[in-house]
mmCIF file of all heavy atoms in Angstrom:
data_model
loop_
_atom_site.group_PDB
_atom_site.id
_atom_site.type_symbol
_atom_site.label_atom_id
_atom_site.label_comp_id
_atom_site.label_asym_id
_atom_site.label_seq_id
_atom_site.Cartn_x
_atom_site.Cartn_y
_atom_site.Cartn_z
ATOM 1 N N ILE A 95 46.418 64.549 1.524
ATOM 2 C CA ILE A 95 46.465 65.118 0.164
ATOM 3 C C ILE A 95 45.301 66.098 -0.031
ATOM 4 O O ILE A 95 44.795 66.273 -1.138
ATOM 5 C CB ILE A 95 46.429 64.010 -0.911
ATOM 6 C CG1 ILE A 95 45.216 63.096 -0.723
ATOM 7 C CG2 ILE A 95 47.714 63.203 -0.893
ATOM 8 C CD1 ILE A 95 45.030 62.102 -1.872
ATOM 9 N N THR A 96 44.893 66.737 1.079
ATOM 10 C CA THR A 96 43.774 67.683 1.019
ATOM 11 C C THR A 96 44.024 68.793 0.007
ATOM 12 O O THR A 96 43.105 69.242 -0.684
ATOM 13 C CB THR A 96 43.524 68.290 2.412
ATOM 14 O OG1 THR A 96 43.214 67.234 3.334
ATOM 15 C CG2 THR A 96 42.382 69.286 2.390
ATOM 16 N N SER A 97 45.285 69.217 -0.103
ATOM 17 C CA SER A 97 45.603 70.324 -1.012
ATOM 18 C C SER A 97 45.366 69.966 -2.474
ATOM 19 O O SER A 97 45.324 70.855 -3.336
ATOM 20 C CB SER A 97 47.055 70.765 -0.809
ATOM 21 O OG SER A 97 47.946 69.690 -1.103
ATOM 22 N N LEU A 98 45.212 68.678 -2.767
ATOM 23 C CA LEU A 98 45.004 68.247 -4.155
ATOM 24 C C LEU A 98 43.526 68.191 -4.540
ATOM 25 O O LEU A 98 43.197 67.917 -5.694
ATOM 26 C CB LEU A 98 45.639 66.865 -4.372
ATOM 27 C CG LEU A 98 47.147 66.751 -4.107
ATOM 28 C CD1 LEU A 98 47.617 65.324 -4.354
ATOM 29 C CD2 LEU A 98 47.920 67.737 -4.979
ATOM 30 N N ILE A 99 42.648 68.471 -3.583
ATOM 31 C CA ILE A 99 41.210 68.384 -3.865
ATOM 32 C C ILE A 99 40.780 69.516 -4.798
ATOM 33 O O ILE A 99 41.164 70.675 -4.615
ATOM 34 C CB ILE A 99 40.389 68.460 -2.565
ATOM 35 C CG1 ILE A 99 40.673 67.254 -1.675
ATOM 36 C CG2 ILE A 99 38.894 68.532 -2.864
ATOM 37 C CD1 ILE A 99 39.946 67.302 -0.343
ATOM 38 N N THR A 100 39.983 69.181 -5.782
ATOM 39 C CA THR A 100 39.317 70.186 -6.614
ATOM 40 C C THR A 100 37.832 70.183 -6.262
ATOM 41 O O THR A 100 37.255 69.136 -5.965
ATOM 42 C CB THR A 100 39.498 69.888 -8.110
ATOM 43 O OG1 THR A 100 38.940 68.598 -8.407
ATOM 44 C CG2 THR A 100 40.966 69.908 -8.491
ATOM 45 N N VAL A 101 37.232 71.381 -6.284
ATOM 46 C CA VAL A 101 35.842 71.529 -5.837
ATOM 47 C C VAL A 101 35.034 72.213 -6.932
ATOM 48 O O VAL A 101 35.471 73.219 -7.508
ATOM 49 C CB VAL A 101 35.760 72.355 -4.534
ATOM 50 C CG1 VAL A 101 34.314 72.441 -4.048
ATOM 51 C CG2 VAL A 101 36.647 71.750 -3.457
ATOM 52 N N GLN A 102 33.865 71.678 -7.194
ATOM 53 C CA GLN A 102 32.907 72.303 -8.106
ATOM 54 C C GLN A 102 31.636 72.604 -7.320
ATOM 55 O O GLN A 102 30.950 71.685 -6.860
ATOM 56 C CB GLN A 102 32.585 71.382 -9.285
ATOM 57 C CG GLN A 102 33.743 71.175 -10.253
ATOM 58 C CD GLN A 102 33.353 70.270 -11.413
ATOM 59 O OE1 GLN A 102 32.566 69.343 -11.257
ATOM 60 N NE2 GLN A 102 33.906 70.545 -12.579
ATOM 61 N N ILE A 103 31.348 73.906 -7.145
ATOM 62 C CA ILE A 103 30.170 74.317 -6.377
ATOM 63 C C ILE A 103 29.058 74.679 -7.351
ATOM 64 O O ILE A 103 29.156 75.668 -8.083
ATOM 65 C CB ILE A 103 30.493 75.511 -5.455
ATOM 66 C CG1 ILE A 103 31.595 75.120 -4.463
ATOM 67 C CG2 ILE A 103 29.239 75.973 -4.714
ATOM 68 C CD1 ILE A 103 32.023 76.246 -3.540
ATOM 69 N N GLY A 104 28.020 73.881 -7.352
ATOM 70 C CA GLY A 104 26.892 74.126 -8.252
ATOM 71 C C GLY A 104 25.656 74.562 -7.502
ATOM 72 O O GLY A 104 24.567 74.030 -7.740
ATOM 73 N N VAL A 105 25.822 75.522 -6.594
ATOM 74 C CA VAL A 105 24.720 75.956 -5.735
ATOM 75 C C VAL A 105 24.213 77.321 -6.184
ATOM 76 O O VAL A 105 24.996 78.266 -6.318
ATOM 77 C CB VAL A 105 25.164 76.033 -4.258
ATOM 78 C CG1 VAL A 105 24.013 76.518 -3.376
ATOM 79 C CG2 VAL A 105 25.658 74.677 -3.782
ATOM 80 N N ARG A 106 22.900 77.423 -6.405
ATOM 81 C CA ARG A 106 22.253 78.708 -6.678
ATOM 82 C C ARG A 106 21.490 79.124 -5.429
ATOM 83 O O ARG A 106 20.535 78.453 -5.018
ATOM 84 C CB ARG A 106 21.299 78.602 -7.863
ATOM 85 C CG ARG A 106 21.984 78.458 -9.204
ATOM 86 C CD ARG A 106 21.030 78.770 -10.339
ATOM 87 N NE ARG A 106 20.498 80.127 -10.253
ATOM 88 C CZ ARG A 106 19.733 80.694 -11.195
ATOM 89 N NH1 ARG A 106 19.425 80.001 -12.294
ATOM 90 N NH2 ARG A 106 19.280 81.920 -11.050
ATOM 91 N N VAL A 107 21.920 80.225 -4.837
ATOM 92 C CA VAL A 107 21.297 80.644 -3.580
ATOM 93 C C VAL A 107 20.029 81.454 -3.804
ATOM 94 O O VAL A 107 19.291 81.722 -2.853
ATOM 95 C CB VAL A 107 22.287 81.463 -2.729
ATOM 96 C CG1 VAL A 107 23.500 80.624 -2.364
ATOM 97 C CG2 VAL A 107 22.710 82.742 -3.456
ATOM 98 N N ASP A 108 19.761 81.860 -5.050
ATOM 99 C CA ASP A 108 18.600 82.707 -5.317
ATOM 100 C C ASP A 108 17.343 81.915 -5.644
ATOM 101 O O ASP A 108 16.257 82.497 -5.746
ATOM 102 C CB ASP A 108 18.905 83.676 -6.457
ATOM 103 C CG ASP A 108 19.282 82.956 -7.745
ATOM 104 O OD1 ASP A 108 19.879 81.863 -7.659
ATOM 105 O OD2 ASP A 108 18.983 83.478 -8.838
ATOM 106 N N ILE A 109 17.462 80.607 -5.801
ATOM 107 C CA ILE A 109 16.311 79.770 -6.144
ATOM 108 C C ILE A 109 16.304 78.546 -5.232
ATOM 109 O O ILE A 109 17.277 77.783 -5.207
ATOM 110 C CB ILE A 109 16.361 79.315 -7.612
ATOM 111 C CG1 ILE A 109 16.376 80.530 -8.548
ATOM 112 C CG2 ILE A 109 15.178 78.413 -7.937
ATOM 113 C CD1 ILE A 109 16.506 80.167 -10.015
ATOM 114 N N PRO A 110 15.230 78.320 -4.479
ATOM 115 C CA PRO A 110 15.160 77.111 -3.652
ATOM 116 C C PRO A 110 15.265 75.849 -4.512
ATOM 117 O O PRO A 110 14.729 75.781 -5.620
ATOM 118 C CB PRO A 110 13.780 77.219 -2.991
ATOM 119 C CG PRO A 110 13.476 78.681 -2.984
ATOM 120 C CD PRO A 110 14.066 79.203 -4.265
ATOM 121 N N GLY A 111 15.968 74.858 -4.013
ATOM 122 C CA GLY A 111 16.139 73.609 -4.744
ATOM 123 C C GLY A 111 17.247 72.782 -4.138
ATOM 124 O O GLY A 111 17.845 73.145 -3.118
ATOM 125 N N VAL A 112 17.534 71.639 -4.776
ATOM 126 C CA VAL A 112 18.586 70.734 -4.319
ATOM 127 C C VAL A 112 19.773 70.848 -5.272
ATOM 128 O O VAL A 112 19.616 70.699 -6.493
ATOM 129 C CB VAL A 112 18.087 69.281 -4.257
ATOM 130 C CG1 VAL A 112 19.208 68.357 -3.785
ATOM 131 C CG2 VAL A 112 16.883 69.168 -3.321
ATOM 132 N N TYR A 113 20.948 71.112 -4.721
ATOM 133 C CA TYR A 113 22.150 71.325 -5.524
ATOM 134 C C TYR A 113 23.278 70.437 -5.003
ATOM 135 O O TYR A 113 23.164 69.810 -3.941
ATOM 136 C CB TYR A 113 22.566 72.799 -5.478
ATOM 137 C CG TYR A 113 21.489 73.741 -5.973
ATOM 138 C CD1 TYR A 113 20.586 74.328 -5.078
ATOM 139 C CD2 TYR A 113 21.365 74.041 -7.318
ATOM 140 C CE1 TYR A 113 19.593 75.186 -5.524
ATOM 141 C CE2 TYR A 113 20.375 74.901 -7.779
ATOM 142 C CZ TYR A 113 19.488 75.468 -6.875
ATOM 143 O OH TYR A 113 18.512 76.310 -7.324
ATOM 144 N N GLN A 114 24.381 70.409 -5.774
ATOM 145 C CA GLN A 114 25.508 69.554 -5.416
ATOM 146 C C GLN A 114 26.809 70.354 -5.359
ATOM 147 O O GLN A 114 27.011 71.286 -6.146
ATOM 148 C CB GLN A 114 25.677 68.419 -6.431
ATOM 149 C CG GLN A 114 24.550 67.408 -6.448
ATOM 150 C CD GLN A 114 24.818 66.280 -7.434
ATOM 151 O OE1 GLN A 114 25.727 66.350 -8.268
ATOM 152 N NE2 GLN A 114 24.030 65.215 -7.341
ATOM 153 N N VAL A 115 27.652 69.950 -4.424
ATOM 154 C CA VAL A 115 29.044 70.391 -4.392
ATOM 155 C C VAL A 115 29.886 69.134 -4.597
ATOM 156 O O VAL A 115 29.779 68.175 -3.828
ATOM 157 C CB VAL A 115 29.404 71.068 -3.059
ATOM 158 C CG1 VAL A 115 30.879 71.461 -3.046
ATOM 159 C CG2 VAL A 115 28.528 72.296 -2.831
ATOM 160 N N LYS A 116 30.710 69.130 -5.655
ATOM 161 C CA LYS A 116 31.471 67.932 -6.018
ATOM 162 C C LYS A 116 32.941 68.110 -5.650
ATOM 163 O O LYS A 116 33.553 69.133 -5.952
ATOM 164 C CB LYS A 116 31.337 67.656 -7.512
ATOM 165 C CG LYS A 116 29.902 67.376 -7.952
ATOM 166 C CD LYS A 116 29.825 67.121 -9.458
ATOM 167 C CE LYS A 116 28.392 66.824 -9.893
ATOM 168 N NZ LYS A 116 28.296 66.579 -11.353
ATOM 169 N N TYR A 117 33.498 67.080 -5.009
ATOM 170 C CA TYR A 117 34.903 67.057 -4.623
ATOM 171 C C TYR A 117 35.598 65.913 -5.374
ATOM 172 O O TYR A 117 35.039 64.822 -5.508
ATOM 173 C CB TYR A 117 35.064 66.831 -3.119
ATOM 174 C CG TYR A 117 34.231 67.744 -2.257
ATOM 175 C CD1 TYR A 117 32.937 67.383 -1.889
ATOM 176 C CD2 TYR A 117 34.728 68.956 -1.805
ATOM 177 C CE1 TYR A 117 32.162 68.208 -1.095
ATOM 178 C CE2 TYR A 117 33.962 69.791 -1.007
ATOM 179 C CZ TYR A 117 32.678 69.412 -0.663
ATOM 180 O OH TYR A 117 31.913 70.237 0.126
ATOM 181 N N SER A 118 36.812 66.176 -5.829
ATOM 182 C CA SER A 118 37.588 65.141 -6.520
ATOM 183 C C SER A 118 39.054 65.283 -6.134
ATOM 184 O O SER A 118 39.559 66.405 -5.969
ATOM 185 C CB SER A 118 37.428 65.263 -8.038
ATOM 186 O OG SER A 118 38.162 64.253 -8.705
ATOM 187 N N VAL A 119 39.740 64.124 -5.987
ATOM 188 C CA VAL A 119 41.157 64.157 -5.655
ATOM 189 C C VAL A 119 41.847 62.976 -6.334
ATOM 190 O O VAL A 119 41.276 61.886 -6.454
ATOM 191 C CB VAL A 119 41.376 64.119 -4.123
ATOM 192 C CG1 VAL A 119 40.961 62.781 -3.531
ATOM 193 C CG2 VAL A 119 42.821 64.430 -3.772
ATOM 194 N N THR A 120 43.074 63.205 -6.795
ATOM 195 C CA THR A 120 43.889 62.160 -7.422
ATOM 196 C C THR A 120 45.243 62.126 -6.734
ATOM 197 O O THR A 120 45.907 63.166 -6.604
ATOM 198 C CB THR A 120 44.076 62.430 -8.923
ATOM 199 O OG1 THR A 120 42.789 62.486 -9.554
ATOM 200 C CG2 THR A 120 44.903 61.333 -9.570
ATOM 201 N N ASP A 121 45.649 60.920 -6.287
ATOM 202 C CA ASP A 121 46.932 60.819 -5.591
ATOM 203 C C ASP A 121 48.076 60.681 -6.588
ATOM 204 O O ASP A 121 47.881 60.712 -7.811
ATOM 205 C CB ASP A 121 46.915 59.663 -4.589
ATOM 206 C CG ASP A 121 46.749 58.301 -5.260
ATOM 207 O OD1 ASP A 121 46.987 58.191 -6.481
ATOM 208 O OD2 ASP A 121 46.380 57.342 -4.554
ATOM 209 N N GLY A 122 49.300 60.506 -6.069
ATOM 210 C CA GLY A 122 50.481 60.453 -6.913
ATOM 211 C C GLY A 122 50.551 59.238 -7.812
ATOM 212 O O GLY A 122 51.311 59.223 -8.791
ATOM 213 N N LEU A 123 49.762 58.205 -7.517
ATOM 214 C CA LEU A 123 49.753 56.998 -8.347
ATOM 215 C C LEU A 123 48.616 57.003 -9.359
ATOM 216 O O LEU A 123 48.429 56.024 -10.076
ATOM 217 C CB LEU A 123 49.638 55.759 -7.448
ATOM 218 C CG LEU A 123 50.807 55.518 -6.488
ATOM 219 C CD1 LEU A 123 50.526 54.307 -5.621
ATOM 220 C CD2 LEU A 123 52.107 55.346 -7.263
ATOM 221 N N GLY A 124 47.860 58.114 -9.377
ATOM 222 C CA GLY A 124 46.759 58.203 -10.323
ATOM 223 C C GLY A 124 45.445 57.663 -9.808
ATOM 224 O O GLY A 124 44.461 57.609 -10.556
ATOM 225 N N ASN A 125 45.402 57.259 -8.540
ATOM 226 C CA ASN A 125 44.147 56.791 -7.958
ATOM 227 C C ASN A 125 43.249 57.990 -7.667
ATOM 228 O O ASN A 125 43.696 58.983 -7.076
ATOM 229 C CB ASN A 125 44.408 56.013 -6.666
ATOM 230 C CG ASN A 125 45.296 54.808 -6.900
ATOM 231 O OD1 ASN A 125 45.049 54.018 -7.802
ATOM 232 N ND2 ASN A 125 46.345 54.680 -6.090
ATOM 233 N N THR A 126 41.989 57.900 -8.048
ATOM 234 C CA THR A 126 41.060 59.028 -7.928
ATOM 235 C C THR A 126 39.881 58.666 -7.035
ATOM 236 O O THR A 126 39.393 57.532 -7.053
ATOM 237 C CB THR A 126 40.541 59.448 -9.312
ATOM 238 O OG1 THR A 126 41.645 59.879 -10.116
ATOM 239 C CG2 THR A 126 39.539 60.598 -9.198
ATOM 240 N N ALA A 127 39.439 59.661 -6.256
ATOM 241 C CA ALA A 127 38.246 59.496 -5.423
ATOM 242 C C ALA A 127 37.347 60.708 -5.618
ATOM 243 O O ALA A 127 37.824 61.815 -5.904
ATOM 244 C CB ALA A 127 38.625 59.354 -3.951
ATOM 245 N N ASN A 128 36.048 60.493 -5.485
ATOM 246 C CA ASN A 128 35.067 61.561 -5.638
ATOM 247 C C ASN A 128 34.085 61.521 -4.478
ATOM 248 O O ASN A 128 33.824 60.464 -3.895
ATOM 249 C CB ASN A 128 34.301 61.410 -6.956
ATOM 250 C CG ASN A 128 35.206 61.487 -8.166
ATOM 251 O OD1 ASN A 128 35.695 62.548 -8.520
ATOM 252 N ND2 ASN A 128 35.442 60.339 -8.803
ATOM 253 N N ALA A 129 33.526 62.687 -4.151
ATOM 254 C CA ALA A 129 32.498 62.779 -3.112
ATOM 255 C C ALA A 129 31.564 63.927 -3.472
ATOM 256 O O ALA A 129 31.952 64.866 -4.187
ATOM 257 C CB ALA A 129 33.120 63.004 -1.739
ATOM 258 N N ILE A 130 30.336 63.858 -2.973
ATOM 259 C CA ILE A 130 29.318 64.866 -3.286
ATOM 260 C C ILE A 130 28.620 65.296 -2.004
ATOM 261 O O ILE A 130 28.222 64.456 -1.189
ATOM 262 C CB ILE A 130 28.279 64.319 -4.288
ATOM 263 C CG1 ILE A 130 28.931 64.047 -5.647
ATOM 264 C CG2 ILE A 130 27.118 65.298 -4.449
ATOM 265 C CD1 ILE A 130 27.994 63.426 -6.659
ATOM 266 N N ARG A 131 28.489 66.611 -1.842
ATOM 267 C CA ARG A 131 27.656 67.162 -0.768
ATOM 268 C C ARG A 131 26.338 67.629 -1.390
ATOM 269 O O ARG A 131 26.336 68.371 -2.371
ATOM 270 C CB ARG A 131 28.331 68.348 -0.083
ATOM 271 C CG ARG A 131 27.544 68.840 1.153
ATOM 272 C CD ARG A 131 27.897 70.275 1.545
ATOM 273 N NE ARG A 131 29.307 70.491 1.761
ATOM 274 C CZ ARG A 131 29.942 70.315 2.922
ATOM 275 N NH1 ARG A 131 29.263 69.874 3.962
ATOM 276 N NH2 ARG A 131 31.234 70.555 3.028
ATOM 277 N N MET A 132 25.226 67.211 -0.813
ATOM 278 C CA MET A 132 23.918 67.675 -1.256
ATOM 279 C C MET A 132 23.550 68.927 -0.465
ATOM 280 O O MET A 132 23.630 68.937 0.769
ATOM 281 C CB MET A 132 22.865 66.592 -1.050
ATOM 282 C CG MET A 132 23.208 65.255 -1.699
ATOM 283 S SD MET A 132 23.454 65.373 -3.493
ATOM 284 C CE MET A 132 21.820 65.886 -4.013
ATOM 285 N N VAL A 133 23.158 69.977 -1.176
ATOM 286 C CA VAL A 133 22.800 71.252 -0.546
ATOM 287 C C VAL A 133 21.345 71.569 -0.872
ATOM 288 O O VAL A 133 20.976 71.695 -2.048
ATOM 289 C CB VAL A 133 23.714 72.396 -1.023
ATOM 290 C CG1 VAL A 133 23.297 73.714 -0.365
ATOM 291 C CG2 VAL A 133 25.171 72.082 -0.705
ATOM 292 N N LEU A 134 20.532 71.683 0.169
ATOM 293 C CA LEU A 134 19.121 72.039 0.009
ATOM 294 C C LEU A 134 18.962 73.527 0.310
ATOM 295 O O LEU A 134 19.110 73.961 1.452
ATOM 296 C CB LEU A 134 18.247 71.217 0.959
ATOM 297 C CG LEU A 134 16.767 71.611 1.030
ATOM 298 C CD1 LEU A 134 16.096 71.429 -0.332
ATOM 299 C CD2 LEU A 134 16.037 70.810 2.098
ATOM 300 N N VAL A 135 18.691 74.314 -0.725
ATOM 301 C CA VAL A 135 18.444 75.746 -0.555
ATOM 302 C C VAL A 135 16.950 75.928 -0.302
ATOM 303 O O VAL A 135 16.119 75.529 -1.125
ATOM 304 C CB VAL A 135 18.891 76.539 -1.799
ATOM 305 C CG1 VAL A 135 18.531 78.019 -1.644
ATOM 306 C CG2 VAL A 135 20.391 76.379 -2.016
ATOM 307 N N SER A 136 16.613 76.504 0.846
ATOM 308 C CA SER A 136 15.206 76.651 1.211
ATOM 309 C C SER A 136 14.984 77.966 1.942
ATOM 310 O O SER A 136 15.932 78.641 2.353
ATOM 311 C CB SER A 136 14.754 75.478 2.092
ATOM 312 O OG SER A 136 15.454 75.495 3.325
ATOM 313 N N ASP A 137 13.707 78.321 2.102
ATOM 314 C CA ASP A 137 13.343 79.555 2.799
ATOM 315 C C ASP A 137 12.920 79.215 4.219
ATOM 316 O O ASP A 137 11.871 78.619 4.439
ATOM 317 C CB ASP A 137 12.203 80.265 2.059
ATOM 318 C CG ASP A 137 11.747 81.520 2.789
ATOM 319 O OD1 ASP A 137 12.598 82.170 3.420
ATOM 320 O OD2 ASP A 137 10.542 81.835 2.736
#
Side-chain angles (χ1 to χ4, degrees):
I95 55 172
T96 300
S97 61
L98 301 180
I99 295 177
T100 60
V101 183
Q102 291 181 326
I103 300 178
V105 179
R106 288 197 59 174
V107 298
D108 59 328
I109 301 177
V112 180
Y113 302 93
Q114 293 183 348
V115 178
K116 298 179 179 180
Y117 310 89
S118 181
V119 68
T120 301
D121 64 18
L123 296 177
N125 301 310
T126 298
N128 299 287
I130 294 176
R131 187 200 305 272
M132 306 301 297
V133 179
L134 172 62
V135 176
S136 65
D137 177 33

